[in-house]
Amino acid sequence: MRPSGLRASVVTLCVMLGSSSAFAQDSAQTVQQQIDQLRQELQQIQQRLSELEAKASATAPAPSPQSPSAAPAAPAAQPAAPVPPGAEGAGGPSGALPLYGAAGGAVSGSKVFNPDMAVIGDFLGAAGKNDMQPDPFSRAGDHPMPLAMHESEASFQAVVDPYARADFFISFGEEGVDLEEGYLTFTSLPGGLLAKVGKMRAAFGKVNSLHNHVLPWADRPLVFYNLVGGEDGIDDAGFSVARLIPNPWLFLEATGQVFRGDSGGEGSPLFQTTRRSELSYVGHLRAYQDINDDTNIDLGYSYSRGHNGLFASNTLINDGSLVTQLHGIDATVRWRPLQRSIYHSFIGRTEWIWSRRDQPTGLQSGSGGYVSADYQVGRRWFTGVRYDRSNRPDNASLLDTGGSFIVTYWPSEFSQVRGQYRRTNYADGPSANELLFQFQFSIGAHGAHPF
Amino acid sequence: MKKALLVLFAFLLAAPAFAQGKLNVIATTEDLAAIAREVGGDRISIDSIAKGYQDPHFVEAKPSFILKLQKADVLIAVGRELEIGWLPPLIQQSRNAKIQPGAEGYLDASLQAQILEVPTGQITRAMGDVHPLGNPHYWMDPENGKLIAKEIADKLSQLRPNDRAYFTQRQADFTSRLDTAEKGWLAKMAPYKGTKMVTYHRSFPNFAERFGLDIMGYVEPRPGIPPTPQHTLDLINEMKRQNVKLVLVEPYFDLKTPNAIGRDTGAQVLVVPPSVGGVKEITDYFKLFDYDINLIVEAIKKSGAGK
């Protein structure tokens, strides 16, 4: 600002102050009236406030003896988020929602070490008649179970430390909770070893090691209900050690497992321990080879041995229960053209299992297996067919057979709807024709795709 | 005698460095392998898992890949959960402590790169197979290629300090060549800046941002969700309204819906590989941009989409 401009401004300011002072003198009486009016209103407000305080103290509960005399410090301001649209009212939350873990700036800083969590729901239904197996997915009990929230599997998976990771799969059924698997995997052992300790599905063949939600069927093949412990299969607490066998030709892996000796579900017994020494064992040899980029073949041999909880009828001393042995072979051929891998694929599987079960009445040698083919016809549609055949474990002269047609629709990677026609010819009863249907869905962490 | 002892001593000192041999590097994709090859030269052996012409989200966790990882000194992953459906079980079964996440031999190539489409606010699966850590197709920007190369050079140097100068020099050379090439690509695309197009999946945001393309829609209604009739209809109407004349499709997606969109809108459907190895002509990182940019420029000229 130039000096002449400054001078002019000062003169203007003086004129304004002078005129305002004159104006104040003229209206002093009016201002005094307004002040008196405000004072009167303030007195009225103070009176109302006193009345309200007296009313509140009359309705408040008396402080308990345990209450601290001093008022607690006010909590720190909690970060908040708005309630999502549509969630407010009707019992839903209202107002701002707290953002836990956001304090301190590092969002979910305290949660980064939480395990990956997911829940997979498995809803099953069945129509048709089956007098021999009223529960279409289990040999246990006689309850018909036409509709069931069969399983809700919660998974918790995380790295434990630089040497190991942990995986837990907890299965919530309609009637209880079961630890399906919970094990520690040592990922950094020398000698090409991979060791696990905990409860786990045994590496016996292919299907035994698979969870329900990765099976291409709503049920499990007949041979597993008859000879390999039903839906639970060989699933027990113990140790597992697997080693890759170096060779220039193919992937070769040998697995040895030792378990407590209790496997198989109600209605499909397999191993049952009666003494600490009655452990069960599983051995598995897996050979895998890529035929080309699109096609590969997977072959396996499995062996398992355990006590079945039965005793020889002529034994007076408990020198251990009788033994069941299983031998199995499995073969899988996969075809998936890499450039169209999300649209078309084929998986052909077969497993054959031989059971040698010592019983008080003598040795029962039965066998069984399945052959299946699954073809992906489009990005969302899969079809399949399966043939089943199996002897009974406790009476190998009885032979059950069956077959299934399966259609599966995947709305997305995280849900699927399946229909399965199943026919079972029982050796000692009427054949069953059933329509099984299944809804599966997954929430939470993105799991690994099955292979 | 003294001379002979000195020679022997020098040989013994040199022996450990010589005995180290080549670093065995495994990359999850051919793009990362191509950049690692540029940086590592003859001091590394390099192999990859996913082929350039397959969908990198849906790779099968084949046991043959376990054998590759078992012998790896370094594993380079794209990260941002691109490989979440198949890499974790492979690493777990590799029996290789060196490449476990967090170990010295594990490299997430995304850590320095410019990542787009990082979701903010609440995300749910209703948005499709959304990547919570941002779009993982970041290698489709040559600027990110330079950052990936820097990360790889640092990692290789960390594991082979004796070869640091070699890796640094090769990385600088790669960056310099990429700078030159990028100028050419930018010049080639400059006349077509702002050209509107549609892509099948969200594979090209970094590419579009670098070269000034405007992706106005996707054939997929949401990431990983196959096209629905209603979405396709809406997309066709919007393409007609905005006069969009190009549809870019990754080589692993079915062309049925894009072709139908093309027929209805008069748009040209282009199969554009987002990866090295997407077609046999794309044998390195430079050829990836050469091929894609030539393809897009020719298509724009032909269709008049850039006008």
Side-chain angles (χ1 to χ4, degrees):
Chain A
M1 190 179 285
R2 289 185 299 185
S4 60
L6 181 65
R7 226 173 6 243
S9 299
V10 170
V11 169
T12 309
L13 186 63
C14 289
V15 169
M16 281 177 68
L17 285 171
S19 65
S20 69
S21 170
F23 177 79
Q25 280 173 356
D26 293 340
S27 60
Q29 198 173 358
T30 314
V31 171
Q32 188 57 47
Q33 284 174 354
Q34 286 175 343
I35 288 171
D36 291 339
Q37 193 180 346
L38 283 170
R39 188 175 289 142
Q40 200 175 353
E41 283 176 6
L42 184 63
Q43 282 172 350
Q44 285 173 355
I45 290 168
Q46 281 176 336
Q47 191 180 350
R48 284 193 67 190
L49 185 64
S50 304
E51 286 171 4
L52 285 169
E53 279 177 342
K55 202 172 176 181
S57 62
T59 54
S64 67
Q66 287 81 16
S67 296
S69 54
Q78 179 71 43
V83 174
E88 210 157 358
S94 60
L97 298 177
L99 278 179
Y100 297 106
V107 176
S108 72
S110 62
K111 296 180 183 174
V112 290
F113 296 114
N114 280 359
D116 290 338
M117 289 179 276
V119 179
I120 297 171
D122 182 13
F123 179 85
L124 290 170
K129 197 175 177 189
N130 189 337
D131 294 331
M132 299 295 290
Q133 188 183 327
D135 182 345
F137 306 101
S138 170
R139 293 283 167 86
D142 294 328
H143 199 65
M145 300 288 277
L147 298 170
M149 189 62 208
H150 185 63
E151 184 182 72
S152 305
E153 183 189 288
S155 65
F156 305 87
Q157 299 174 280
V159 171
V160 175
D161 56 27
Y163 318 107
R165 60 170 287 118
D167 298 82
F168 286 88
F169 302 95
I170 299 166
S171 172
F172 296 84
E174 287 192 345
E175 292 169 3
V177 181
D178 182 39
L179 178 65
E180 186 169 2
E181 291 193 284
Y183 55 81
L184 190 68
T185 305
F186 297 96
T187 52
S188 305
L189 293 179
L193 296 172
L194 188 71
K196 291 180 184 177
V197 57
K199 189 185 181 200
M200 67 198 87
R201 285 188 161 275
F204 186 89
K206 280 283 172 210
V207 164
N208 186 77
S209 61
L210 299 178
H211 289 216
N212 286 341
H213 60 88
V214 296
L215 293 173
W217 321 292
D219 62 347
R220 287 181 183 253
L222 193 57
V223 64
F224 286 87
Y225 291 107
N226 279 6
L227 302 181
V228 199
E231 188 179 299
D232 292 340
I234 308 174
D235 181 11
D236 202 354
F239 301 96
S240 170
V241 178
R243 189 177 194 282
L244 298 181
I245 301 172
N247 70 89
W249 305 288
L250 44 74
F251 174 93
L252 201 57
E253 183 184 47
T255 305
Q257 299 177 315
V258 182
F259 295 113
R260 184 177 65 223
D262 291 311
S263 280
E266 193 186 341
S268 301
L270 180 60
F271 300 139
Q272 191 180 336
T273 184
T274 60
R275 300 193 305 187
R276 282 187 182 178
S277 58
E278 292 186 346
L279 302 171
S280 67
Y281 305 90
V282 171
H284 182 66
L285 187 66
R286 181 188 185 191
Y288 170 94
Q289 178 69 355
D290 288 322
I291 296 170
N292 54 42
D293 281 346
D294 301 342
T295 313
N296 54 69
I297 186 164
D298 208 338
L299 302 170
Y301 166 74
S302 308
Y303 171 75
S304 185
R305 180 188 190 279
H307 293 261
N308 56 31
L310 302 172
F311 293 92
S313 55
N314 55 356
T315 303
L316 296 174
I317 305 163
N318 178 7
D319 56 353
S321 69
L322 298 171
V323 167
T324 294
Q325 294 182 75
L326 299 175
H327 296 263
I329 57 169
D330 62 85
T332 307
V333 176
R334 295 182 190 84
W335 170 81
R336 187 184 285 269
L338 290 191
Q339 195 159 347
R340 286 286 180 270
S341 63
I342 59 173
Y343 297 102
H344 299 293
S345 62
F346 171 83
I347 299 180
R349 285 194 183 93
T350 185
E351 281 188 67
W352 291 90
I353 292 155
W354 288 265
S355 165
R356 291 173 59 82
R357 179 180 158 98
D358 273 327
Q359 298 188 155
T361 52
L363 180 70
Q364 290 292 320
S365 295
S367 67
Y370 71 92
V371 182
S372 76
D374 300 287
Y375 181 66
Q376 183 184 1
V377 294
R379 188 158 179 190
R380 291 170 150 173
W381 289 96
F382 296 73
T383 58
V385 59
R386 191 183 77 207
Y387 169 73
D388 287 307
R389 176 188 177 92
S390 178
N391 293 123
R392 301 277 179 85
D394 50 358
N395 184 354
S397 65
L398 298 177
L399 175 67
D400 301 328
T401 61
S404 290
F405 293 99
I406 305 105
V407 176
T408 307
Y409 174 72
W410 293 67
S412 77
E413 201 185 332
F414 306 99
S415 63
Q416 59 177 272
V417 184
R418 175 172 289 142
Q420 176 174 349
Y421 165 74
R422 178 174 77 178
R423 178 178 172 83
T424 313
N425 303 311
Y426 294 102
D428 54 352
S431 297
N433 291 291
E434 297 162 284
L435 182 62
L436 313 178
F437 51 93
Q438 179 182 39
F439 292 83
Q440 285 198 108
F441 45 92
S442 156
I443 55 172
H446 192 311
H449 305 141
F451 177 74
Chain B
M1 180 64 185
K2 202 185 283 181
K3 201 172 181 179
L5 277 174
L6 275 172
V7 171
L8 182 65
F9 186 64
F11 179 77
L12 286 173
L13 276 179
F18 180 74
Q20 280 187 317
K22 289 184 175 184
L23 273 175
N24 186 13
V25 181
I26 303 292
T28 56
T29 66
E30 291 199 56
D31 309 284
L32 296 180
I35 298 173
R37 195 174 289 115
E38 296 280 355
V39 175
D42 60 5
R43 306 286 165 91
I44 66 167
S45 63
I46 178 79
D47 201 353
S48 58
I49 295 177
K51 299 285 184 192
Y53 53 82
Q54 78 178 117
D55 188 339
H57 302 82
F58 295 96
V59 176
E60 287 189 296
K62 295 179 190 177
S64 45
F65 297 145
I66 295 171
L67 294 179
K68 284 186 180 185
L69 291 179
Q70 192 196 17
K71 298 167 194 157
D73 296 308
V74 183
L75 169 64
I76 309 173
V78 173
R80 306 284 156 170
E81 297 200 346
L82 178 75
E83 304 105 332
I84 194 166
W86 51 275
L87 191 58
L90 289 177
I91 294 176
Q92 188 186 332
Q93 294 176 73
S94 70
R95 287 98 163 150
N96 187 345
K98 287 185 280 190
I99 59 157
Q100 301 294 320
E104 213 173 34
Y106 181 86
L107 176 63
D108 180 338
S110 73
L111 295 180
Q112 302 297 325
Q114 187 200 4
I115 305 299
L116 301 178
E117 299 179 352
V118 179
T120 53
Q122 190 181 16
I123 56 170
T124 76
R125 295 276 184 223
M127 300 167 175
D129 191 7
V130 64
H131 291 276
L133 302 176
N135 192 304
H137 302 274
Y138 58 87
W139 67 86
M140 284 299 289
D141 176 357
E143 287 299 315
N144 276 342
K146 293 172 201 169
L147 297 170
I148 296 167
K150 173 80 170 58
E151 279 200 72
I152 292 173
D154 289 347
K155 179 56 72 180
L156 297 179
S157 301
Q158 180 192 346
L159 296 172
R160 285 284 188 275
N162 292 342
D163 292 329
R164 179 181 293 276
Y166 176 83
F167 295 134
T168 307
Q169 184 274 322
R170 285 192 67 93
Q171 180 235 326
D173 178 59
F174 171 70
T175 302
S176 165
R177 285 183 291 128
L178 203 51
D179 278 336
T180 310
E182 192 181 338
K183 280 177 193 159
W185 296 327
L186 286 167
K188 206 164 189 177
M189 292 292 284
Y192 311 108
K193 201 166 183 177
T195 301
K196 290 186 175 177
M197 54 187 61
V198 161
T199 68
Y200 196 106
H201 180 70
R202 292 173 181 264
S203 304
F204 299 96
N206 293 82
F207 182 85
E209 183 165 292
R210 178 60 51 202
F211 297 109
L213 302 173
D214 181 2
I215 298 173
M216 57 70 63
Y218 304 93
V219 177
E220 288 180 332
R222 303 230 188 320
I225 304 290
T228 58
Q230 185 58 52
H231 173 74
T232 304
L233 199 62
D234 292 344
L235 185 66
I236 287 170
N237 290 335
E238 192 58 25
M239 284 175 69
K240 283 178 179 171
R241 200 180 67 77
Q242 298 193 33
N243 194 30
V244 178
K245 293 294 177 194
L246 273 182
V247 180
L248 271 51
V249 184
E250 297 85 339
Y252 35 84
F253 287 120
D254 191 62
L255 286 168
K256 193 176 153 196
T257 306
N259 282 340
I261 293 170
R263 278 194 300 275
D264 215 333
T265 59
Q268 202 174 339
V269 177
L270 280 184
V271 177
V272 180
S275 281
V276 174
V279 292
K280 63 182 179 200
E281 293 94 327
I282 305 177
T283 51
D284 62 36
Y285 192 65
F286 293 89
K287 291 195 175 85
L288 173 63
F289 293 98
D290 282 338
Y291 185 92
D292 286 358
I293 287 171
N294 281 339
L295 201 66
I296 291 167
V297 166
E298 289 307 314
I300 293 173
K301 283 180 187 169
K302 195 175 162 189
S303 66
K307 288 173 188 169

